[in-house]
């Protein structure tokens, strides 16, 4: 959202007050692109107007599924919440529609350079880690129940990330060694000047494994609370 004016095509959501830019489209005609942008803009604002103006208990998955790929939103929430990706929904969020008759999808996921403990967030961080956008959906009982179901399904995959680190470490060991020959960035501030790099690559890997192992022990969904109306 920070560089939207540098893009050729963008709009500001009337409901969210947030800018969205066009990153890729299969069409090249200006008129067709304008129609597609307007369609996505309308679809997004229709979805969020429905969410913000509805009593959560009255919202159903059937209603939402006519506007949104609900599972894609939940999966996006789970993985970004699990790794505590501080950039999720800020500058690092892709959404798409496959034509005017399609619904909004979240994905693909990307940009995980500020997470997994390297942004100074401990693995014990409140698993709620919710921005208002996520909270709006999680207040819906049927969405929360579906989130519980998908977490149960994918929990083994999330927990396995700690073990996957060792496999990946072996695969990229030679490349990692050459990386630090070319860029001497260990034992100092990272490029963003927001955290210190470990003295060695192996120490960084050990810290990552420890963070993921701890996260697997504590991760859970926030308790579901009915909204309070005053």
């Amino acid at each position: 959202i920070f560089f939207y004016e540098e893009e050729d095509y963008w709009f500001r959501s009337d409901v969210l007050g947030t800018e969205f830019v066009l990153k890729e489209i299969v069409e090249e005609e200006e008129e067709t692109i304008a129609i597609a942008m307007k369609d996505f803009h309308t679809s997004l604002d229709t979805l969020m107007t429905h969410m913000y103006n509805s009593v959560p208990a009255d919202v159903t998955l059937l209603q939402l599924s006519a506007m949104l790929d609900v599972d894609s939103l939940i999966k996006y929430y789970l993985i970004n919440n699990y790794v505590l990706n501080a950039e999720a929904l800020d500058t690092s969020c892709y959404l798409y529609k496959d034509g005017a008759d399609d619904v909004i999808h979240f994905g693909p996921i990307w940009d995980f350079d500020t997470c997994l403990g390297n942004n100074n967030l401990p693995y014990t961080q409140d698993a709620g880690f919710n921005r208002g956008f996520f909270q709006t959906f999680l207040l819906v009982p049927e969405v929360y129940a579906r989130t519980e179901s998908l977490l149960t399904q994918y929990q083994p995959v999330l927990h396995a990330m700690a073990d996957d680190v060792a496999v990946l470490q072996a695969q990229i060991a030679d490349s990692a060694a050459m990386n630090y020959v070319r860029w001497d960035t260990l034992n100092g501030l990272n490029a963003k000047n927001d955290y210190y790099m470990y003295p060695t690559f192996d120490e960084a890997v050990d810290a990552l494994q420890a963070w993921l192992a701890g996260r697997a022990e504590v991760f859970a969904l926030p308790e579901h609370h009915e909204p309070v109306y005053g």
Side-chain angles (χ1 to χ4, degrees), residues 8-27:
D8 293 330
Y9 305 98
W10 62 272
F11 68 85
R12 180 178 290 110
S13 167
D14 303 314
V15 179
L16 297 173
T18 301
E19 293 77 21
F20 293 81
V21 303
L22 174 66
K23 300 303 292 185
E24 184 175 338
I25 191 169
V26 296
E27 303 290 347

Side-chain angles (χ1 to χ4, degrees), residues 60-98:
T60 67
L61 285 179
L62 183 62
Q63 292 171 349
L64 287 179
S65 295
M67 299 176 277
L68 171 71
D69 177 355
V70 179
D71 279 9
S72 73
L73 169 66
I74 294 172
K75 292 175 185 178
Y76 180 92
Y77 163 76
L78 287 175
I79 185 59
N80 282 286
N81 191 348
Y82 192 84
V83 301
L84 295 178
N85 184 4
E87 295 186 65
L89 288 185
D90 277 346
T91 61
S92 307
C93 180
Y94 276 114
L95 299 90
Y96 72 90
K97 284 186 67 178
D98 188 12

Side-chain angles (χ1 to χ4, degrees), residues 66-191:
M67 299 176 277
L68 171 71
D69 177 355
V70 179
D71 279 9
S72 73
L73 169 66
I74 294 172
K75 292 175 185 178
Y76 180 92
Y77 163 76
L78 287 175
I79 185 59
N80 282 286
N81 191 348
Y82 192 84
V83 301
L84 295 178
N85 184 4
E87 295 186 65
L89 288 185
D90 277 346
T91 61
S92 307
C93 180
Y94 276 114
L95 299 90
Y96 72 90
K97 284 186 67 178
D98 188 12
D101 295 329
D102 195 20
V103 298
I104 293 174
H105 303 264
F106 273 72
I109 57 173
W110 78 297
D111 203 358
F112 288 84
D113 61 313
T114 309
C115 63
L116 295 166
N118 67 14
N119 51 1
N120 298 317
L121 289 178
Y123 67 79
T124 53
Q125 176 81 21
D126 178 12
F129 193 60
N130 294 314
R131 301 165 191 268
F133 185 91
F134 287 135
Q135 283 280 29
T136 300
F137 286 90
L138 288 175
L139 286 173
V140 175
E142 288 192 12
V143 173
Y144 188 88
R146 181 59 181 161
T147 304
E148 288 183 308
S149 176
L150 286 178
L151 176 57
T152 299
Q153 177 181 346
Y154 289 107
Q155 201 160 37
V157 178
L158 296 172
H159 288 181
M161 284 198 290
D163 294 329
D164 292 340
V165 169
V167 177
L168 294 172
Q169 180 185 12
Q171 290 178 354
I172 68 172
D174 292 340
S175 296
M178 291 305 299
N179 178 78
Y180 296 115
V181 170
R182 176 62 180 84
W183 290 284
D184 184 17
T185 57
L186 291 170
N187 203 32
L189 279 171
N190 72 328

Side-chain angles (χ1 to χ4, degrees), residues 41-62:
H41 186 173
T42 300
S43 297
L44 180 66
D45 281 355
T46 298
L47 168 65
M48 296 315 302
T49 297
H50 177 75
M51 292 301 298
Y52 288 144
N53 292 340
S54 299
V55 175
D58 294 337
V59 178
T60 67
L61 285 179
L62 183 62

